[in-house]
């Protein structure tokens, strides 16, 4: 079978005993494989990159290597280590299969990973990990990074993409999503705040992770300390607000991203307090006044942007995000819009919380 050949090409010792599909992650395909060698079992992760989303995966691997090397040279793995990928028999950090599938591999760590944690210690650690990661990359030459997805967090472009999708969308879908479409289009003023500040050159460009979902941090199962930030596929020049806003969006929400019972969806301020505390621990001293000022609003903007991306994908027939059913992206968009509405009402309280840590 295909996975067997990939394991051989990565020179994994032994025989492929078993494998599991890892279902978290909306883009790439990830397997955990169990290799048996002389009675001993070792575990690895194999990941097939979605070429529809990332059209130059070799460059992603180059970005990751450059960033990892930089972090390793600054910081000797005391409280945040970097995840290195294995090399193939050809000496490359990837394998290309016979169908041009692009694979990478790493050792599997027996660690914890959370989609929506409620433990406040875990939440503070997730914040600490993302903030420290960005802090460690201060000084890394952003010009060395290949832009894996241009305009990734350009909200203005994202809304233009939605408007474009509307021109071609089937009328029944447009009718079903009428109120969600209206919400996005009527909240552009607030939603495009970061885009405007960015195009006016008012915010510094930093090296950012750009996908600061809670499940992109791994934790020690016993101490619950964050060990590493993973999924560096979208590491690119960006705004601090992208990582803070998206992290808070994901980590402080009381539900999963596709919750259909919208009365359960809310933005939890105790979680926000601890996330902010962790996030700002290292970064606080490096932020400009305007960067600090826009942190609460950035949470709204990143939630609004993701709602729009889910909605666009629903209208286009689910061509980007992995889905479990035809309406999955619509449910995700509804959930993110419910979160947006809750966040708007809490911006003042968020600002007060942040004062403690800035
Ligand atoms: C995708 O692959 P994953 O699940 O880490 C997406 C993010 C979204 C996220 C929403 C490359 O991340 O931008 O915020 O889904 N990644 C890409 O769950 O589009
Ligand atoms: Mg991910």
């Amino acid at each position: 079978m295909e996975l067997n050949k990939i394991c051989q090409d990565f020179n994994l010792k032994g025989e492929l005993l078993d494998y599991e599909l890892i279902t978290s992650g909306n883009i790439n395909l990830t397997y955990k494989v169990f290799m048996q060698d002389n009675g001993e079992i070792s575990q690895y992760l194999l990941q097939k990159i979605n070429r529809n989303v990332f059209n130059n995966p070799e460059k992603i691997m180059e970005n990751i290597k450059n960033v990892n090397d930089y972090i390793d040279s600054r910081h000797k793995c005391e409280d945040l280590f970097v995840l290195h990928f294995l090399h193939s028999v050809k000496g490359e950090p990837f394998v290309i299969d016979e169908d041009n599938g692009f694979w990478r591999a790493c050792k599997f760590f027996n660690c914890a990973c959370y989609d929506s944690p409620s433990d406040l210690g875990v939440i503070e650690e997730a914040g600490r990990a993302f903030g420290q990661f960005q802090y460690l990359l201060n000084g890394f030459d952003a010009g060395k990074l290949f832009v894996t997805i241009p305009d990734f967090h350009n909200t203005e472009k994202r809304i233009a993409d939605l408007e474009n999708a509307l021109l071609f969308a089937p009328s029944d879908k447009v009718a079903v999503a009428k109120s969600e479409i209206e919400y996005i289009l009527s909240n552009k003023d607030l939603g495009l705040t970061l885009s405007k500040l960015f195009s006016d050159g008012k915010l510094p460009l930093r090296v950012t992770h750009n996908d600061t979902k809670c499940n992109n941090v791994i934790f020690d199962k016993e101490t619950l300390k964050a060990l590493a930030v993973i999924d560096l596929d979208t590491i690119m020049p960006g705004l601090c607000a992208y990582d803070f806003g998206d992290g808070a969006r994901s980590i402080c929400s009381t539900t999963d991203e596709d919750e259909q019972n919208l009365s359960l969806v809310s933005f939890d301020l105790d979680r926000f307090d601890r996330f902010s505390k962790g996030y700002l621990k290292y970064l606080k001293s490096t932020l400009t006044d305007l960067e600090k000022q826009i942190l609460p609003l950035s949470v709204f903007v990143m939630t609004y942007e993701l709602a729009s991306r889910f909605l666009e994908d629903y209208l286009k027939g689910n061509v980007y995000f992995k889905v479990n059913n035809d309406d999955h992206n619509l449910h995700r968009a509804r959930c993110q819009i419910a979160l947006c509405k809750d966040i708007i009402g809490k911006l003042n309280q968020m600002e007060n919380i942040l004062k403690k840590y800035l």
Side-chain angles (χ1 to χ4, degrees):
M1 84 154 272
E2 194 191 31
L3 276 184
N4 216 344
K5 171 85 170 78
I6 308 294
C7 293
Q8 284 168 12
D9 287 353
F10 275 115
N11 213 4
L12 305 186
K13 280 215 176 68
E15 298 282 304
L16 175 62
L17 186 68
D18 202 359
Y19 67 90
E20 280 169 15
L21 181 67
I22 308 272
T23 51
S24 84
N26 290 333
I27 307 289
N28 297 324
L29 198 62
T30 311
Y31 295 96
K32 177 158 127 182
V33 297
F34 300 80
M35 303 297 295
Q36 189 173 42
D37 186 37
N38 282 328
E40 228 179 81
I41 296 177
S42 5
Q43 302 173 41
Y44 298 87
L45 287 180
L46 293 186
Q47 193 170 47
K48 188 177 184 186
I49 304 292
N50 182 335
R51 280 196 186 265
N52 192 22
V53 170
F54 297 108
N55 46 35
N56 207 333
E58 286 87 351
K59 288 287 184 191
I60 294 183
M61 300 313 285
E62 241 176 80
N63 278 355
I64 294 177
K65 182 178 186 315
N66 287 334
V67 162
N68 281 350
D69 287 353
Y70 184 81
I71 291 183
D72 272 343
S73 71
R74 272 200 72 180
H75 175 81
K76 290 295 166 216
C77 296
E78 276 145 25
D79 49 3
L80 199 68
F81 75 87
V82 293
L83 193 69
H84 290 281
F85 286 97
L86 304 176
H87 282 92
S88 70
V89 284
K90 289 189 187 160
E92 292 165 329
F94 54 83
V95 159
I96 295 183
D97 69 20
E98 54 200 23
D99 301 317
N100 202 30
F102 188 100
W103 293 82
R104 63 186 172 197
C106 64
K107 262 189 92 90
F108 173 80
F109 294 92
N110 189 15
C111 53
C113 196
Y114 305 89
D115 286 330
S116 50
S118 53
D119 182 293
L120 294 177
V122 164
I123 289 168
E124 184 175 333
E125 274 295 289
R128 190 267 297 171
F130 283 130
Q132 187 178 11
F133 182 79
Q134 195 183 118
Y135 174 77
L136 288 169
L137 288 168
N138 262 336
F140 179 89
D141 176 6
K144 274 196 191 157
L145 287 174
F146 176 78
V147 176
T148 49
I149 304 183
D151 290 313
F152 192 58
H153 285 312
N154 178 346
T155 318
E156 197 171 2
K157 165 87 171 32
R158 295 290 190 183
I159 304 305
D161 290 346
L162 173 70
E163 286 170 338
N164 195 45
L166 275 168
L167 300 177
F168 301 98
S171 54
D172 56 330
K173 285 195 162 186
V174 176
V176 169
K178 188 168 178 278
S179 67
E180 289 74 25
I181 295 166
E182 271 170 21
Y183 183 84
I184 298 293
L185 299 183
S186 62
N187 279 283
K188 278 196 208 174
D189 269 359
L190 213 51
L192 301 188
T193 322
L194 289 182
S195 292
K196 294 223 174 67
L197 292 172
F198 176 68
S199 53
D200 292 347
K202 296 206 169 129
L203 292 168
L205 209 52
R206 302 183 179 277
V207 175
T208 47
H209 179 280
N210 297 307
D211 187 7
T212 44
K213 264 165 72 163
C214 196
N215 66 16
N216 284 332
V217 178
I218 54 175
F219 294 83
D220 184 299
K221 274 188 164 163
E222 264 145 44
T223 64
L224 301 186
K225 291 276 167 217
L227 298 173
V229 170
I230 58 170
D231 188 355
L232 307 190
D233 299 344
T234 50
I235 193 151
M236 285 181 277
L239 303 182
C240 168
Y242 298 158
D243 282 2
F244 180 82
D246 201 38
R249 171 198 70 77
S250 146
I251 293 165
C252 310
S253 162
T254 49
T255 68
D256 284 340
E257 276 177 359
D258 53 2
E259 177 59 54
Q260 291 186 52
N261 180 350
L262 299 182
S263 66
L264 298 177
V265 180
S266 78
F267 187 79
D268 185 295
L269 290 172
D270 292 331
R271 296 184 195 187
F272 181 71
D273 187 314
R274 295 292 287 274
F275 173 76
S276 303
K277 182 178 182 197
Y279 194 88
L280 294 168
K281 181 175 173 193
Y282 289 91
L283 271 187
K284 174 173 116 178
S285 56
T286 67
L287 302 182
T288 66
D289 286 346
L290 187 59
E291 280 183 299
K292 292 177 184 170
Q293 215 178 305
I294 46 111
L295 291 177
L297 196 56
S298 72
V299 186
F300 171 81
V301 172
M302 299 310 288
T303 312
Y304 169 85
E305 181 187 280
L306 187 60
S308 177
R309 293 175 62 195
F310 285 145
L311 198 54
E312 178 199 345
D313 204 29
Y314 167 72
L315 295 172
K316 284 183 166 168
N318 310 316
V319 292
Y320 186 93
F321 295 104
K322 283 193 242 163
V323 287
N324 299 336
N325 58 66
D326 284 353
D327 292 339
H328 201 171
N329 277 312
L330 177 65
H331 297 146
R332 287 169 170 154
R334 285 186 173 148
C335 177
Q336 294 305 300
I337 289 174
L339 199 56
C340 279
K341 291 178 181 168
D342 197 44
I343 292 168
I344 285 200
K346 290 178 174 164
L347 290 174
N348 287 340
Q349 292 169 79
M350 288 159 76
E351 199 181 316
N352 284 332
I353 289 170
L354 282 166
K355 280 189 192 141
K356 294 197 278 179
Y357 306 117
L358 284 169

